[in-house]
């Protein structure tokens, strides 16, 4: 697939063979010389749409990473929560018995 070339209102398409540098774009500056070794640059289709599928990939990649890592951090988190809950209940019970 060829990308669409930008056309300006007062210029001819740039980078086409057969265009003459002095006659078509700059007026008559002396001689009429055809352009040689014209280099054109273009972007491929996948580079033009850089966010294609980013939302879909973000959701499923996040879920995949979460699923693989949850067993590393969830058990210590739950253990710390239950230990803190037990300690707070014991503290309240001891403070009641002192009064």
């Amino acid at each position: 697939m060829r990308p669409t070339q930008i056309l300006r209102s007062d210029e001819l398409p740039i980078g086409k063979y057969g265009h003459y540098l002095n006659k078509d774009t700059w007026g008559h500056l002396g001689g009429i010389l055809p352009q040689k070794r014209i280099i054109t640059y273009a972007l491929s289709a996948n580079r033009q749409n850089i966010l294609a599928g980013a939302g879909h990939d973000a959701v499923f990649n996040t879920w995949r990473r979460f699923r693989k890592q949850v067993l590393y951090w969830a058990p210590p988190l739950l253990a710390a929560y239950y230990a803190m809950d037990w300690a707070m209940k014991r503290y309240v019970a001891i403070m009641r018995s002192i009064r």
Side-chain angles (χ1 to χ4, degrees):
M1 177 190 293
R2 259 183 44 198
T4 306
Q5 195 164 34
I6 299 171
L7 293 177
R8 296 174 185 90
S9 62
D10 59 343
E11 293 182 15
L12 295 172
I14 299 172
K16 302 280 186 178
Y17 287 102
H19 281 242
Y20 294 92
L21 186 61
N22 294 338
K23 181 181 136 197
D24 292 338
T25 56
W26 294 345
H28 293 285
L29 298 177
I32 298 175
L33 304 172
Q35 294 180 358
K36 293 182 180 179
R37 297 179 201 90
I38 299 173
I39 299 172
T40 58
Y41 297 96
L43 287 174
S44 64
N46 63 341
R47 297 285 182 161
Q48 291 179 15
N49 192 2
I50 58 173
L51 294 178
H56 179 270
D57 293 342
V59 169
F60 288 104
N61 189 36
T62 302
W63 172 249
R64 179 186 58 83
R65 292 176 66 184
F66 172 79
R67 190 183 68 213
K68 299 230 181 215
Q69 295 292 321
V70 72
L71 291 178
Y72 289 107
W73 58 265
L77 185 70
L78 288 174
Y81 175 78
Y82 284 120
M84 191 68 177
D85 187 49
W86 172 80
M88 293 298 286
K89 287 179 182 177
R90 182 162 167 83
Y91 174 76
V92 170
I94 291 173
M95 287 296 129
R96 281 193 197 152
S97 67
I98 292 177
R99 293 184 186 176

